[in-house]
Amino acid sequence: MAEEIIKENAEVVDQKAETKVKSKGKKGKRVVTSGQVHVQATFNNTIVTVTDKSGGALAASSAGANGFRGSKKGTAYAAQVAAEKALETAKREHGLNSVDVYVSGIGLGRDSAIRAVSTVGIKIDSITDVTPIAHGGVRPKGERKP
């Protein structure tokens, strides 16, 4: 009698364990065929972020993350390496094949990061410069001075 109860309890526990295993599952990588590449090129570093059309990040890399240190981070070669790494990751994991490029900043890595996109084998749909331009700001608070 006691053995039967133990067997029934063991079966119930096994069924609960199976249902837990079935309900948990790893999410698959989403497939994004077209996206955006954001290049932020400063004098000290170049950051490349690959996103989908709505701005959700797929992959990112920077010159500093690729082992460049000090003044070498601001070079065109470091920007090229950073762009290639981010784009290879996005292409391999998400199936990216066409992008719009948005470039911000005035660093040396602007052009070489764009060239790296085409060397990886991704089609460039458009290139847009989104560098902010200073205009003097709004009128300061207070009385006008003669």
Side-chain angles (χ1 to χ4, degrees):
M1 179 82 175
E3 291 176 8
E4 291 176 12
I5 294 173
I6 292 172
K7 286 181 182 178
E8 287 177 13
N9 287 342
E11 288 177 8
V12 170
V13 170
D14 286 341
Q15 289 174 353
K16 286 182 182 178
E18 285 178 17
T19 56
K20 286 182 183 178
V21 171
K22 288 179 184 176
S23 64
K24 289 184 182 179
K26 186 177 177 182
K27 287 185 179 179
K29 295 281 184 182
R30 56 194 177 126
V31 177
V32 180
T33 56
S34 64
Q36 300 174 344
V37 175
H38 296 271
V39 179
Q40 182 183 1
T42 65
F43 291 121
N44 295 323
N45 203 355
T46 302
I47 302 169
V48 179
T49 308
V50 183
T51 66
D52 56 12
K53 286 290 186 184
S54 63
L58 302 174
S61 185
S62 69
N66 286 303
F68 294 94
R69 289 288 173 242
S71 60
K72 293 184 182 77
K73 287 195 299 184
T75 62
Y77 177 68
Q80 178 186 344
V81 171
E84 285 174 354
K85 184 171 182 187
L87 290 160
E88 282 289 340
T89 303
K91 188 175 181 181
R92 182 178 66 248
E93 293 183 3
H94 300 284
L96 193 71
N97 57 19
S98 69
V99 293
D100 298 320
V101 181
Y102 295 93
V103 184
S104 175
I106 53 174
L108 298 172
R110 290 170 57 98
D111 299 331
S112 61
I114 295 169
R115 285 192 185 98
V117 175
S118 59
T119 59
V120 171
I122 295 175
K123 181 178 170 269
I124 298 174
D125 293 332
S126 68
I127 300 171
T128 308
D129 189 359
V130 292
T131 305
I133 300 169
H135 61 84
V138 297
R139 186 176 72 82
K141 187 178 177 182
E143 200 175 311
R144 290 187 184 264
K145 296 178 175 61

